Amino acid sequence: SIVNADVEDPYNMPFKSQYEPSEMRCLALVAHNHMKPAMKEFVMSHKEVLKKFRLTGTNTTITLLKSIFGDDPEVCYGPSFQSGPLGGDAELCALACLEDLGGCFFFMDPLSAHPHQADIDCLVRLLNVHNILTCINPCTAHAMSFVLKEALEDGRMDQIPSFFYTLKSPGVA
């Protein structure tokens, strides 16, 4: 039988982005401890889309990204932050306020208590205040990956505006 690589890995087909990572705000990838295996699976399934962005996140997730991407010269990293309980979520809040965060894929563990819950709540609130593209579980991140790919491939800033423009929630006067 003939093996077709595109069929085996349909989400990782190479494509040309109309934008360089340096032309866009960062994409943060964050995962709570019990969600890290899901984040690893997501990253491995969507490497071609993710590597078109400046990737940022908390320490463990950045370490995970570097283990997956290795020395790939096409991968561009933004700042790396502390672990969430040590202030990493608060550092991501600062990146949002500094207008250098365009999206956040935050795989939150809904079944575990978190000692830094106030920081998590603050991050989610600021992502909403600044109207930043946010996916809080693997299913939404998977679906959003197709929008990201189409927007990058077709040069459609309007499909992912928070990566290019400062936005505010409609609730912000």
Side-chain angles (χ1 to χ4, degrees), residues 57-105:
T58 51
N59 184 49
T60 310
T61 307
I62 290 293
T63 301
L64 171 73
L65 291 173
K66 289 181 177 179
S67 75
I68 292 170
F69 287 114
D71 295 331
D72 187 335
E74 293 182 30
V75 179
C76 179
Y77 294 100
S80 179
F81 299 117
Q82 296 291 319
S83 165
L86 299 178
D89 296 330
E91 290 175 304
L92 279 168
C93 288
L95 193 66
C97 292
L98 292 170
E99 302 177 353
D100 197 25
L101 186 61
C104 184
F105 289 7

Side-chain angles (χ1 to χ4, degrees), residues 16 20 24 54 56 64 74 80-82 94 122 127 151 158:
K16 172 78 172 110
E20 293 297 322
M24 298 181 287
R54 274 186 307 134
T56 189
L64 171 73
E74 293 182 30
S80 179
F81 299 117
Q82 296 291 319
C122 183
L127 291 169
D158 61 304

Side-chain angles (χ1 to χ4, degrees), residues 102-173:
C104 184
F105 289 7
F106 190 172
F107 290 9
M108 294 191 266
D109 180 354
L111 301 178
S112 298
H114 305 284
H116 61 298
Q117 188 63 48
D119 292 348
I120 296 165
D121 293 343
C122 183
L123 176 57
V124 171
R125 186 182 78 77
L126 287 174
L127 291 169
N128 281 312
V129 165
H130 293 280
N131 206 6
I132 292 170
L133 183 145
T134 306
C135 297
I136 61 168
N137 60 47
C139 186
T140 56
H142 174 74
M144 182 53 64
S145 295
F146 296 100
V147 174
L148 293 174
K149 181 180 184 292
E150 180 180 302
L152 295 176
E153 211 167 22
D154 297 343
R156 297 285 308 272
M157 286 184 192
D158 61 304
Q159 289 182 331
I160 53 171
S162 60
F163 284 96
F164 300 96
Y165 307 109
T166 298
L167 306 171
K168 298 288 183 222
S169 165
V172 175

Side-chain angles (χ1 to χ4, degrees), residues 17-77:
S17 174
Q18 298 299 313
Y19 308 106
E20 293 297 322
S22 61
E23 296 177 291
M24 298 181 287
R25 296 174 182 190
C26 291
L27 173 60
L29 300 174
V30 183
H32 286 145
N33 288 341
H34 290 119
M35 300 299 288
K36 295 217 189 296
M39 178 61 78
K40 181 177 183 178
E41 184 179 328
F42 170 76
V43 171
M44 292 180 72
S45 295
H46 297 283
K47 290 190 294 189
E48 285 297 320
V49 171
L50 295 175
K51 71 183 187 180
K52 306 297 188 204
F53 292 90
R54 274 186 307 134
L55 301 173
T56 189
T58 51
N59 184 49
T60 310
T61 307
I62 290 293
T63 301
L64 171 73
L65 291 173
K66 289 181 177 179
S67 75
I68 292 170
F69 287 114
D71 295 331
D72 187 335
E74 293 182 30
V75 179
C76 179
Y77 294 100

